[in-house]
Amino acid sequence: MRWIWIDRFVEFADGSHAKAIKNITLAEDHLHDHFPGFPVMPPSLMLEGMAQTGGILLGKVNDFNKVVILAKVPRMTYHSWAIPGDTLTYTAKLIDVRDEGGMVEATAHVGDRLVAEGEIVFAHVSENVAGGVRIDQKNFVFSMRLLGVMDVGKAGDGGKEDSTSGNP
């Protein structure tokens, strides 16, 4: 089973940037152990939320015809924490797109407070073979199916927004 660490997109500009949110609640089991008496969102899960936001953004560049996997995190700095009741806003900006993959600059904010920032590198791998192992796209978060589930939502006038451009 794949865990989804974003609740929805609030902005999505093809080939440019995306913004997604994650509402943190005590209904999430991992918060009861991290840390008892002072539950905070684990930094690794914030990184995963930023990676999912950026990976979907990169996947959309090629209409999800390439398998996108997280390759490395060359830089990530955590400045603060997020606790139950907070809404994390993940922003990913494409800074490099190549046939081999791409890179995003990503941030996580709670309101105006910067929680984390860094760079995430993704690789494209063959859908059929990667080191002799068959890759099944349905096991990857960075797919068109997830983008459809997380339509941007409603415009200020109540009309449905275009989930790819952020325009009503």
Side-chain angles (χ1 to χ4, degrees), residues 58-80:
L58 177 61
K60 182 71 171 85
V61 169
N62 296 302
D63 292 321
F64 301 98
N65 290 320
K66 296 183 179 186
V67 177
V68 176
I69 62 170
L70 191 152
K72 69 179 180 176
V73 181
R75 181 181 63 82
M76 187 60 59
T77 304
Y78 296 93
H79 300 282
S80 186

Side-chain angles (χ1 to χ4, degrees), residues 40-107:
V40 297
M41 180 75 160
S44 59
L45 299 182
M46 285 190 273
L47 169 60
E48 181 64 23
M50 288 182 278
Q52 289 176 4
T53 304
I56 293 167
L57 179 64
L58 177 61
K60 182 71 171 85
V61 169
N62 296 302
D63 292 321
F64 301 98
N65 290 320
K66 296 183 179 186
V67 177
V68 176
I69 62 170
L70 191 152
K72 69 179 180 176
V73 181
R75 181 181 63 82
M76 187 60 59
T77 304
Y78 296 93
H79 300 282
S80 186
W81 58 81
I83 61 173
D86 285 345
T87 296
L88 277 166
T89 302
Y90 299 127
T91 303
K93 178 182 174 188
L94 274 175
I95 57 174
D96 188 22
V97 178
R98 301 175 185 203
D99 286 339
E100 308 83 42
M103 183 163 69
V104 300
E105 289 178 339
T107 62

Side-chain angles (χ1 to χ4, degrees), residues 20-21 26 31 44 51-52 55 64-65 73 90 99-100 112 126 131 141 150 153 160-161 164:
I21 61 169
L26 273 176
L31 291 176
S44 59
Q52 289 176 4
F64 301 98
N65 290 320
V73 181
Y90 299 127
D99 286 339
E100 308 83 42
D112 292 333
S126 167
V141 171
M150 298 188 176
K160 186 155 173 51
E161 283 190 348
T164 59

